[in-house]
Coordinates of all heavy atoms in Angstrom, one line a residue:
M2 N 65.6 102.7 -22.0 CA 65.1 102.1 -20.8 C 66.0 102.4 -19.6 O 65.6 102.7 -18.6 CB 65.0 100.6 -21.1 CG 64.6 99.8 -19.9 SD 62.8 99.7 -19.9 CE 62.5 98.6 -18.7
S3 N 67.3 102.4 -19.9 CA 68.3 102.7 -18.9 C 68.1 104.2 -18.4 O 68.4 104.4 -17.2 CB 69.7 102.4 -19.3 OG 70.1 103.3 -20.4
S4 N 67.8 105.1 -19.3 CA 67.7 106.5 -18.8 C 66.4 106.6 -17.9 O 66.4 107.4 -17.0 CB 67.6 107.4 -20.0 OG 66.4 107.2 -20.7
Q5 N 65.4 105.8 -18.2 CA 64.2 105.9 -17.3 C 64.5 105.3 -15.9 O 64.1 105.9 -14.9 CB 63.1 105.1 -17.9 CG 62.4 105.8 -19.1 CD 61.3 105.0 -19.7 OE1 61.2 103.8 -19.4 NE2 60.6 105.6 -20.6
S6 N 65.3 104.2 -15.9 CA 65.6 103.6 -14.6 C 66.5 104.6 -13.8 O 66.4 104.6 -12.6 CB 66.2 102.3 -14.7 OG 67.5 102.4 -15.4
R7 N 67.4 105.3 -14.4 CA 68.2 106.3 -13.7 C 67.4 107.4 -13.2 O 67.6 107.8 -12.0 CB 69.2 106.9 -14.7 CG 70.5 106.0 -14.9 CD 71.6 106.8 -15.5 NE 72.1 105.9 -16.6 CZ 72.7 106.3 -17.7 NH1 72.8 107.5 -17.9 NH2 73.2 105.4 -18.5
R8 N 66.4 107.8 -13.9 CA 65.5 108.9 -13.4 C 64.8 108.4 -12.2 O 64.6 109.2 -11.3 CB 64.6 109.4 -14.5 CG 65.3 110.4 -15.4 CD 64.2 111.0 -16.3 NE 64.7 110.9 -17.7 CZ 64.0 110.8 -18.7 NH1 62.7 110.8 -18.7 NH2 64.5 110.8 -19.9
L9 N 64.3 107.2 -12.3 CA 63.5 106.7 -11.2 C 64.4 106.5 -9.9 O 63.9 106.8 -8.8 CB 62.9 105.3 -11.6 CG 61.7 105.4 -12.6 CD1 61.3 104.0 -12.9 CD2 60.6 106.2 -12.0
S10 N 65.6 106.0 -10.1 CA 66.4 105.8 -8.9 C 66.9 107.1 -8.3 O 67.1 107.2 -7.1 CB 67.6 105.0 -9.3 OG 68.5 105.7 -10.2
L11 N 67.0 108.2 -9.1 CA 67.4 109.5 -8.6 C 66.3 110.2 -7.9 O 66.5 111.0 -7.0 CB 67.9 110.4 -9.7 CG 69.3 109.9 -10.3 CD1 69.6 110.8 -11.5 CD2 70.3 110.0 -9.2
S12 N 65.0 109.9 -8.3 CA 63.9 110.6 -7.7 C 63.2 109.8 -6.6 O 62.0 110.0 -6.3 CB 62.9 111.0 -8.8 OG 62.4 109.8 -9.4
L13 N 63.8 108.8 -6.0 CA 63.2 108.0 -5.0 C 63.0 108.8 -3.8 O 63.8 109.7 -3.4 CB 64.0 106.7 -4.7 CG 64.0 105.6 -5.8 CD1 64.9 104.5 -5.3 CD2 62.6 105.1 -5.9
P14 N 61.9 108.5 -3.0 CA 61.7 109.3 -1.7 C 62.9 109.0 -0.7 O 63.4 107.9 -0.7 CB 60.4 108.8 -1.2 CG 59.9 107.8 -2.2 CD 60.8 107.6 -3.3
G15 N 63.2 109.9 0.1 CA 64.2 109.7 1.1 C 65.6 110.2 0.5 O 66.6 110.2 1.3
S16 N 65.6 110.6 -0.7 CA 66.9 111.1 -1.3 C 67.1 112.5 -0.7 O 66.2 113.1 -0.2 CB 66.9 111.1 -2.8 OG 65.9 112.0 -3.2
S17 N 68.3 113.0 -0.8 CA 68.7 114.3 -0.2 C 68.0 115.4 -1.1 O 68.5 115.6 -2.2 CB 70.2 114.4 -0.1 OG 70.7 114.4 -1.4
G18 N 67.1 116.0 -0.5 CA 66.4 117.1 -1.1 C 66.4 118.3 -0.2 O 66.5 118.1 1.0
S19 N 66.3 119.5 -0.6 CA 66.3 120.6 0.3 C 65.0 120.7 1.1 O 65.1 121.1 2.3 CB 66.4 121.9 -0.5 OG 65.4 122.1 -1.4
D20 N 63.8 120.3 0.6 CA 62.6 120.3 1.4 C 62.3 119.1 2.1 O 61.6 119.0 3.1 CB 61.4 120.6 0.4 CG 61.5 122.0 -0.2 OD1 62.2 122.9 0.4 OD2 61.0 122.3 -1.3
N21 N 62.9 118.0 1.7 CA 62.5 116.7 2.2 C 63.7 116.2 3.1 O 64.2 115.1 2.9 CB 62.3 115.7 1.0 CG 61.4 114.6 1.4 OD1 60.9 114.5 2.5 ND2 61.2 113.7 0.4
E22 N 64.0 116.9 4.2 CA 65.0 116.5 5.1 C 64.4 115.6 6.2 O 63.4 116.0 6.8 CB 65.6 117.8 5.7 CG 67.0 117.6 6.3 CD 67.6 118.9 6.6 OE1 68.2 119.5 5.8 OE2 67.5 119.3 7.8
G23 N 65.1 114.5 6.5 CA 64.6 113.6 7.5 C 64.8 114.1 8.9 O 65.6 115.0 9.2
I24 N 64.2 113.4 9.9 CA 64.3 113.8 11.3 C 65.7 113.5 11.8 O 66.3 114.4 12.5 CB 63.3 113.0 12.1 CG1 61.9 113.4 11.8 CG2 63.5 113.1 13.6 CD1 60.8 112.6 12.4
L25 N 66.3 112.5 11.3 CA 67.7 112.1 11.8 C 68.7 113.2 11.3 O 69.5 113.6 12.1 CB 68.1 110.8 11.2 CG 69.4 110.3 11.6 CD1 69.5 110.1 13.1 CD2 69.7 108.9 11.0
A26 N 68.5 113.7 10.1 CA 69.4 114.8 9.6 C 69.1 116.1 10.3 O 70.1 116.8 10.7 CB 69.1 115.0 8.1
M27 N 67.9 116.4 10.7 CA 67.6 117.6 11.5 C 68.2 117.5 12.9 O 68.8 118.5 13.4 CB 66.1 117.8 11.6 CG 65.4 118.2 10.3 SD 63.6 118.3 10.3 CE 63.2 118.9 11.8
V28 N 68.1 116.4 13.5 CA 68.7 116.2 14.8 C 70.2 116.3 14.8 O 70.8 116.9 15.6 CB 68.2 114.8 15.5 CG1 69.0 114.5 16.7 CG2 66.7 114.8 15.8
S29 N 70.8 115.7 13.7 CA 72.2 115.7 13.6 C 72.7 117.1 13.3 O 73.7 117.6 13.9 CB 72.6 114.8 12.4 OG 73.9 115.0 12.1
N30 N 72.0 117.9 12.6 CA 72.3 119.3 12.4 C 72.2 120.1 13.6 O 73.0 121.0 13.9 CB 71.5 119.9 11.2 CG 71.9 119.5 9.9 OD1 73.0 119.0 9.7 ND2 71.0 119.6 8.9
T31 N 71.2 119.8 14.4 CA 70.9 120.6 15.6 C 72.1 120.3 16.6 O 72.6 121.2 17.3 CB 69.6 120.2 16.3 OG1 68.6 120.5 15.3 CG2 69.3 121.0 17.5
I32 N 72.4 119.0 16.7 CA 73.5 118.7 17.6 C 74.8 119.2 17.2 O 75.6 119.8 18.0 CB 73.6 117.1 17.8 CG1 72.4 116.6 18.5 CG2 74.9 116.7 18.4 CD1 72.3 115.1 18.5
S33 N 75.1 119.2 15.9 CA 76.4 119.7 15.4 C 76.5 121.2 15.5 O 77.6 121.7 15.6 CB 76.7 119.2 14.0 OG 75.7 119.9 13.1
Q34 N 75.4 121.9 15.6 CA 75.4 123.3 15.7 C 75.3 123.8 17.2 O 75.2 125.0 17.4 CB 74.3 124.0 14.9 CG 74.6 123.8 13.4 CD 73.4 124.2 12.6 OE1 72.4 124.7 13.1 NE2 73.5 124.1 11.3
S35 N 75.2 122.9 18.2 CA 75.0 123.3 19.5 C 76.3 123.9 20.1 O 77.4 123.6 19.6 CB 74.6 122.0 20.4 OG 75.7 121.2 20.6
S36 N 76.1 124.7 21.2 CA 77.3 125.3 21.8 C 78.2 124.4 22.5 O 79.4 124.6 22.6 CB 76.8 126.5 22.7 OG 76.1 125.9 23.8
I37 N 77.6 123.3 23.0 CA 78.5 122.3 23.7 C 79.4 121.6 22.8 O 80.6 121.4 23.1 CB 77.5 121.3 24.5 CG1 76.7 121.9 25.5 CG2 78.4 120.1 25.0 CD1 75.7 121.0 26.2
V38 N 78.9 121.3 21.6 CA 79.8 120.6 20.6 C 80.9 121.6 20.2 O 82.0 121.3 20.0 CB 78.9 120.1 19.4 CG1 79.9 119.7 18.3 CG2 78.0 119.0 19.8
H39 N 80.5 122.9 20.0 CA 81.4 123.9 19.6 C 82.5 124.1 20.6 O 83.7 124.2 20.3 CB 80.7 125.2 19.3 CG 81.7 126.3 18.9 ND1 82.3 126.3 17.7 CD2 82.0 127.5 19.6 CE1 83.1 127.4 17.7 NE2 82.9 128.1 18.8
Q40 N 82.1 124.1 21.9 CA 83.1 124.3 23.0 C 84.0 123.0 23.1 O 85.2 123.2 23.3 CB 82.4 124.5 24.3 CG 81.7 125.8 24.5 CD 80.9 125.9 25.7 OE1 80.7 125.0 26.4 NE2 80.4 127.2 26.0
G41 N 83.4 121.9 22.9 CA 84.2 120.6 22.9 C 85.3 120.6 21.8 O 86.4 120.2 22.0
M42 N 84.8 121.0 20.6 CA 85.8 121.1 19.5 C 86.9 122.1 19.7 O 88.0 121.9 19.4 CB 85.0 121.4 18.2 CG 84.1 120.2 17.8 SD 83.2 120.6 16.3 CE 84.4 120.4 15.0
S43 N 86.5 123.3 20.3 CA 87.4 124.3 20.6 C 88.5 123.8 21.7 O 89.7 124.0 21.5 CB 86.7 125.5 21.1 OG 87.6 126.5 21.5
F44 N 88.0 123.1 22.7 CA 88.8 122.6 23.7 C 89.8 121.5 23.1 O 91.0 121.5 23.4 CB 88.0 121.9 24.8 CG 88.8 121.3 25.9 CD1 89.4 122.0 26.9 CD2 88.9 119.9 26.0 CE1 90.2 121.4 27.9 CE2 89.6 119.3 26.9 CZ 90.3 120.0 27.9
T45 N 89.3 120.7 22.3 CA 90.1 119.6 21.6 C 91.2 120.3 20.8 O 92.4 119.9 20.8 CB 89.2 118.7 20.8 OG1 88.2 118.2 21.6 CG2 90.1 117.6 20.2
T46 N 90.8 121.3 20.0 CA 91.8 122.0 19.2 C 92.9 122.7 20.1 O 94.1 122.6 19.7 CB 91.1 123.0 18.3 OG1 90.1 122.4 17.6 CG2 92.1 123.7 17.4
D47 N 92.5 123.3 21.1 CA 93.4 123.9 22.0 C 94.4 122.9 22.7 O 95.6 123.2 22.8 CB 92.7 124.7 23.1 CG 92.0 126.0 22.6 OD1 92.3 126.3 21.4 OD2 91.1 126.5 23.3
M48 N 93.8 121.8 23.1 CA 94.7 120.7 23.7 C 95.7 120.1 22.7 O 96.8 119.9 23.0 CB 93.8 119.6 24.3 CG 93.1 120.0 25.6 SD 94.3 120.2 26.9 CE 94.2 122.0 27.1
A49 N 95.2 120.0 21.5 CA 96.1 119.4 20.4 C 97.2 120.4 20.2 O 98.4 120.0 20.0 CB 95.3 119.2 19.1
F50 N 96.9 121.7 20.1 CA 97.9 122.7 19.9 C 98.9 122.7 21.1 O 100.2 122.8 20.9 CB 97.3 124.1 19.8 CG 98.3 125.2 19.6 CD1 99.0 125.4 18.5 CD2 98.5 126.1 20.7 CE1 99.9 126.4 18.3 CE2 99.4 127.1 20.6 CZ 100.1 127.3 19.4
A51 N 98.4 122.7 22.3 CA 99.3 122.6 23.5 C 100.2 121.4 23.5 O 101.4 121.5 23.8 CB 98.5 122.7 24.8
A52 N 99.6 120.2 23.1 CA 100.4 119.0 23.1 C 101.5 119.1 22.1 O 102.6 118.7 22.3 CB 99.5 117.8 22.8
K53 N 101.2 119.6 20.9 CA 102.2 119.8 19.8 C 103.3 120.7 20.3 O 104.5 120.4 20.1 CB 101.5 120.3 18.6 CG 102.4 120.5 17.4 CD 101.7 121.1 16.2 CE 102.6 121.4 15.1 NZ 102.0 122.0 14.0
K54 N 102.9 121.8 20.9 CA 103.9 122.8 21.4 C 104.8 122.1 22.5 O 106.0 122.3 22.5 CB 103.2 124.0 21.9 CG 104.1 125.2 22.0 CD 103.3 126.5 22.2 CE 104.3 127.6 22.1 NZ 103.6 128.9 22.1
L55 N 104.2 121.4 23.4 CA 104.9 120.7 24.5 C 105.9 119.7 23.9 O 107.1 119.6 24.3 CB 104.0 120.0 25.4 CG 104.6 119.2 26.6 CD1 105.3 120.2 27.5 CD2 103.6 118.4 27.3
L56 N 105.5 118.9 22.9 CA 106.3 117.9 22.3 C 107.5 118.6 21.5 O 108.6 118.1 21.6 CB 105.6 117.0 21.3 CG 104.7 115.9 22.0 CD1 103.8 115.2 20.9 CD2 105.5 114.9 22.7
W57 N 107.2 119.7 20.9 CA 108.2 120.4 20.2 C 109.3 121.0 21.1 O 110.5 120.8 20.9 CB 107.6 121.5 19.4 CG 108.6 122.4 18.6 CD1 109.1 123.6 18.9 CD2 109.2 122.0 17.3 NE1 110.0 124.0 17.9 CE2 110.1 123.0 17.0 CE3 109.1 120.9 16.6 CZ2 110.9 123.0 15.8 CZ3 109.9 120.8 15.4 CH2 110.7 121.9 15.0
S58 N 108.8 121.5 22.3 CA 109.8 122.1 23.3 C 110.6 121.0 23.9 O 111.8 121.2 24.2 CB 109.0 122.9 24.3 OG 108.3 123.9 23.7
T59 N 109.9 119.8 24.2 CA 110.6 118.7 24.8 C 111.7 118.2 23.9 O 112.8 117.9 24.3 CB 109.6 117.6 25.2 OG1 108.6 118.1 26.0 CG2 110.3 116.5 25.9
G60 N 111.4 118.1 22.6 CA 112.4 117.7 21.6 C 113.5 118.6 21.5 O 114.7 118.1 21.4
K61 N 113.3 119.9 21.6 CA 114.4 120.8 21.5 C 115.2 120.7 22.7 O 116.5 120.8 22.7 CB 113.8 122.3 21.4 CG 113.3 122.6 20.0 CD 112.6 123.9 20.0 CE 113.6 125.0 19.8 NZ 113.0 126.3 19.6
A62 N 114.6 120.6 23.9 CA 115.4 120.4 25.2 C 116.2 119.2 25.2 O 117.3 119.1 25.6 CB 114.4 120.5 26.4
A63 N 115.6 118.1 24.7 CA 116.4 116.8 24.6 C 117.6 116.9 23.6 O 118.7 116.4 23.9 CB 115.5 115.7 24.1
W64 N 117.4 117.6 22.5 CA 118.5 117.8 21.6 C 119.6 118.6 22.3 O 120.8 118.3 22.2 CB 118.0 118.6 20.3 CG 119.1 118.9 19.4 CD1 119.7 120.2 19.3 CD2 119.8 118.1 18.5 NE1 120.7 120.1 18.3 CE2 120.8 118.8 17.9 CE3 119.7 116.7 18.2 CZ2 121.6 118.3 16.9 CZ3 120.6 116.2 17.3 CH2 121.5 117.0 16.7
I65 N 119.3 119.7 23.0 CA 120.3 120.5 23.6 C 121.0 119.8 24.7 O 122.2 119.8 24.8 CB 119.6 121.8 24.2 CG1 119.2 122.8 23.1 CG2 120.5 122.5 25.2 CD1 118.3 123.9 23.5
A66 N 120.3 119.0 25.5 CA 120.9 118.2 26.6 C 121.8 117.1 26.0 O 122.9 116.9 26.5 CB 119.8 117.6 27.5
G67 N 121.4 116.5 24.9 CA 122.2 115.4 24.3 C 123.4 115.9 23.7 O 124.5 115.3 23.9
T68 N 123.4 117.0 23.0 CA 124.6 117.6 22.4 C 125.5 118.2 23.4 O 126.7 118.0 23.3 CB 124.3 118.7 21.3 OG1 123.4 119.6 21.9 CG2 123.6 118.1 20.1
T69 N 125.0 118.7 24.5 CA 125.8 119.2 25.6 C 126.6 118.1 26.3 O 127.7 118.2 26.6 CB 125.0 120.0 26.6 OG1 124.3 121.1 25.9 CG2 125.8 120.6 27.7
F70 N 125.9 117.0 26.5 CA 126.5 115.8 27.1 C 127.6 115.3 26.2 O 128.7 115.0 26.7 CB 125.4 114.7 27.3 CG 125.9 113.5 28.0 CD1 126.2 113.5 29.3 CD2 126.2 112.4 27.2 CE1 126.7 112.3 29.9 CE2 126.7 111.2 27.8 CZ 126.9 111.2 29.1
L71 N 127.4 115.2 24.9 CA 128.4 114.7 24.0 C 129.6 115.6 24.0 O 130.8 115.2 23.9 CB 127.9 114.5 22.6 CG 126.9 113.3 22.4 CD1 126.3 113.3 21.0 CD2 127.6 112.0 22.7
V72 N 129.4 116.9 24.0 CA 130.5 117.9 23.9 C 131.3 118.0 25.2 O 132.5 118.1 25.2 CB 130.0 119.2 23.3 CG1 131.0 120.3 23.4 CG2 129.5 119.1 21.9
L73 N 130.6 118.1 26.3 CA 131.3 118.4 27.6 C 131.6 117.2 28.4 O 132.6 117.1 29.0 CB 130.4 119.4 28.3 CG 130.2 120.7 27.7 CD1 129.3 121.6 28.5 CD2 131.5 121.4 27.5
V74 N 130.7 116.3 28.6 CA 130.8 115.2 29.6 C 131.6 114.0 29.0 O 132.4 113.4 29.7 CB 129.4 114.8 30.1 CG1 129.5 113.6 31.1 CG2 128.7 116.0 30.7
V75 N 131.3 113.6 27.8 CA 132.0 112.4 27.3 C 133.5 112.6 27.2 O 134.3 111.7 27.6 CB 131.5 112.0 25.9 CG1 132.3 111.0 25.2 CG2 130.0 111.6 26.0
P76 N 134.1 113.8 26.8 CA 135.5 113.9 26.9 C 136.1 113.8 28.3 O 137.1 113.3 28.5 CB 135.8 115.3 26.2 CG 134.6 115.5 25.3 CD 133.5 114.8 26.0
L77 N 135.3 114.4 29.2 CA 135.7 114.3 30.6 C 135.8 112.9 31.1 O 136.8 112.5 31.8 CB 134.7 115.1 31.5 CG 135.0 115.1 33.0 CD1 136.3 115.8 33.3 CD2 133.8 115.7 33.7
I78 N 134.8 112.1 30.8 CA 134.8 110.7 31.1 C 136.0 109.9 30.5 O 136.7 109.1 31.2 CB 133.5 110.0 30.7 CG1 132.3 110.6 31.6 CG2 133.6 108.5 30.9 CD1 130.9 110.1 31.1
I79 N 136.3 110.2 29.3 CA 137.4 109.6 28.6 C 138.7 110.0 29.3 O 139.6 109.1 29.5 CB 137.4 110.0 27.1 CG1 136.3 109.3 26.4 CG2 138.7 109.5 26.4 CD1 136.0 109.8 25.0
E80 N 138.9 111.2 29.6 CA 140.1 111.7 30.2 C 140.3 111.1 31.6 O 141.4 110.7 32.0 CB 140.1 113.2 30.4 CG 141.4 113.8 30.8 CD 142.6 113.4 30.0 OE1 142.5 113.3 28.7 OE2 143.7 113.3 30.5
M81 N 139.2 110.9 32.4 CA 139.3 110.3 33.7 C 139.6 108.8 33.6 O 140.4 108.3 34.4 CB 137.9 110.5 34.4 CG 137.7 111.9 34.9 SD 136.0 112.2 35.6 CE 136.1 111.1 37.0
D82 N 139.1 108.2 32.5 CA 139.5 106.8 32.3 C 141.0 106.6 32.0 O 141.6 105.7 32.5 CB 138.6 106.2 31.2 CG 138.8 104.7 31.0 OD1 138.9 104.0 32.0 OD2 139.0 104.3 29.9
R83 N 141.5 107.5 31.2 CA 142.9 107.5 30.8 C 143.8 107.7 32.1 O 144.8 107.0 32.2 CB 143.3 108.6 29.8 CG 142.8 108.3 28.4 CD 143.3 109.3 27.4 NE 142.7 109.1 26.1 CZ 142.7 110.0 25.2 NH1 143.2 111.2 25.4 NH2 142.2 109.8 24.0
E84 N 143.4 108.6 32.9 CA 144.2 108.9 34.1 C 144.1 107.7 35.0 O 145.2 107.3 35.6 CB 143.6 110.1 34.8 CG 144.5 110.5 36.0 CD 144.3 111.9 36.4 OE1 143.8 112.7 35.7 OE2 144.8 112.2 37.5
Q85 N 143.0 107.0 35.1 CA 142.9 105.9 36.0 C 143.8 104.7 35.4 O 144.5 104.0 36.2 CB 141.5 105.4 36.0 CG 141.2 104.2 36.9 CD 141.6 104.4 38.4 OE1 141.3 105.5 38.9 NE2 142.2 103.5 39.0
Q86 N 143.9 104.6 34.1 CA 144.7 103.6 33.5 C 146.2 103.9 33.8 O 147.0 103.0 34.0 CB 144.5 103.5 32.0 CG 143.2 102.8 31.6 CD 142.9 102.8 30.1 OE1 143.7 103.4 29.3 NE2 141.9 102.1 29.7
M87 N 146.6 105.2 33.7 CA 147.9 105.6 34.0 C 148.3 105.3 35.5 O 149.4 104.8 35.7 CB 148.1 107.1 33.7 CG 148.2 107.4 32.2 SD 149.5 106.7 31.3 CE 150.9 107.6 32.0
N88 N 147.4 105.6 36.3 CA 147.6 105.3 37.8 C 147.8 103.8 38.0 O 148.7 103.3 38.7 CB 146.5 105.8 38.7 CG 146.5 107.3 38.8 OD1 147.5 107.9 38.5 ND2 145.4 107.9 39.1
D89 N 147.0 103.0 37.3 CA 147.1 101.5 37.5 C 148.4 101.1 36.9 O 149.1 100.2 37.5 CB 146.0 100.8 36.7 CG 144.6 101.0 37.4 OD1 144.6 101.4 38.6 OD2 143.6 100.8 36.8
L90 N 148.9 101.6 35.8 CA 150.1 101.2 35.2 C 151.3 101.6 36.1 O 152.2 100.8 36.3 CB 150.3 101.9 33.8 CG 151.6 101.6 33.0 CD1 151.6 100.1 32.7 CD2 151.6 102.4 31.7
E91 N 151.2 102.8 36.7 CA 152.3 103.2 37.6 C 152.4 102.3 38.8 O 153.5 102.0 39.3 CB 152.1 104.7 38.0 CG 152.4 105.7 37.0 CD 152.1 107.1 37.4 OE1 151.7 107.3 38.6 OE2 152.2 108.0 36.6
M92 N 151.2 101.9 39.3 CA 151.2 101.0 40.5 C 151.7 99.6 40.1 O 152.5 99.0 40.9 CB 149.7 100.8 41.0 CG 149.1 102.1 41.5 SD 149.7 102.5 43.1 CE 148.8 101.3 44.1
Q93 N 151.5 99.2 38.9 CA 152.0 97.9 38.5 C 153.5 97.9 38.3 O 154.2 97.0 38.7 CB 151.3 97.5 37.1 CG 151.4 96.1 36.7 CD 150.6 95.8 35.5 OE1 150.4 96.7 34.6 NE2 150.1 94.6 35.4
L94 N 154.0 99.0 37.7 CA 155.5 99.2 37.5 C 156.1 99.3 38.9 O 157.2 98.7 39.1 CB 155.8 100.4 36.7 CG 155.5 100.3 35.2 CD1 155.7 101.6 34.5 CD2 156.4 99.2 34.5
A95 N 155.5 100.0 39.8 CA 156.1 100.2 41.1 C 156.2 98.8 41.8 O 157.2 98.5 42.5 CB 155.3 101.2 41.9
S96 N 155.2 98.0 41.7 CA 155.3 96.7 42.3 C 156.3 95.8 41.6 O 156.9 95.0 42.3 CB 153.9 96.1 42.3 OG 153.5 95.7 41.0
L97 N 156.5 95.9 40.3 CA 157.5 95.1 39.7 C 158.9 95.5 40.0 O 159.8 94.7 40.2 CB 157.3 95.2 38.1 CG 156.1 94.4 37.5 CD1 156.0 94.7 36.0 CD2 156.3 92.9 37.8
L98 N 159.1 96.8 40.2 CA 160.5 97.3 40.5 C 160.8 97.2 42.0 O 161.9 97.4 42.4 CB 160.6 98.7 40.0 CG 160.5 98.9 38.5 CD1 160.5 100.4 38.1 CD2 161.6 98.2 37.8
G99 N 159.8 97.0 42.8 CA 160.1 96.8 44.2 C 160.1 98.1 45.0 O 160.6 98.1 46.1
T100 N 159.7 99.2 44.4 CA 159.6 100.4 45.1 C 158.4 100.4 46.0 O 157.4 99.9 45.7 CB 159.6 101.6 44.2 OG1 158.4 101.5 43.4 CG2 160.8 101.7 43.3
P101 N 158.5 101.1 47.1 CA 157.4 101.1 48.0 C 156.2 102.0 47.4 O 156.5 103.0 46.8 CB 157.9 101.8 49.3 CG 159.1 102.6 48.9 CD 159.7 101.8 47.7
T102 N 155.1 101.4 47.6 CA 153.9 102.1 47.0 C 153.4 103.1 48.0 O 153.4 102.9 49.2 CB 152.8 101.1 46.7 OG1 152.4 100.4 47.8 CG2 153.2 100.2 45.6
I103 N 153.0 104.2 47.5 CA 152.4 105.3 48.4 C 150.9 105.2 48.4 O 150.3 105.3 47.3 CB 152.8 106.7 47.9 CG1 154.3 106.8 47.9 CG2 152.2 107.7 48.8 CD1 154.9 108.1 47.2
S104 N 150.3 104.9 49.5 CA 148.9 104.8 49.6 C 148.3 106.1 49.7 O 148.8 107.0 50.5 CB 148.5 103.8 50.7 OG 148.9 104.5 51.9
P105 N 147.2 106.4 49.0 CA 146.6 107.7 49.1 C 145.9 107.9 50.5 O 145.4 107.0 51.1 CB 145.5 107.7 48.1 CG 145.3 106.3 47.7 CD 146.5 105.5 48.1
S106 N 146.1 109.1 51.1 CA 145.6 109.3 52.4 C 144.1 109.7 52.3 O 143.7 110.3 51.3 CB 146.3 110.5 53.0 OG 146.2 111.6 52.2
K107 N 143.4 109.2 53.3 CA 142.0 109.4 53.3 C 141.6 110.6 54.1 O 142.0 111.0 55.1 CB 141.2 108.2 53.7 CG 141.4 107.1 52.7 CD 140.5 105.9 53.1 CE 140.6 104.8 52.1 NZ 139.8 103.7 52.4

């Protein structure tokens, strides 16, 4: 009995058959094969490729800028801070010892 019910459920009308294609399936196939859909898909693929390439290039540029900043600019900032601390210390010692302070000329 179960084999008969399987046969009946498989052979119901509206099932996917090569000769018995519905109007909705025909319209869907026609639309999916149209040149406008093909051009839209091609445009979308090209835009995705361009966006991926742009993000990759931006990431590489950010990496180069970040490492350059760490290698060149951070040590410069540290050295300038040390020199400022030394100048402040010299000014403090000069005021404690009572020597005249030399003001920087503008």
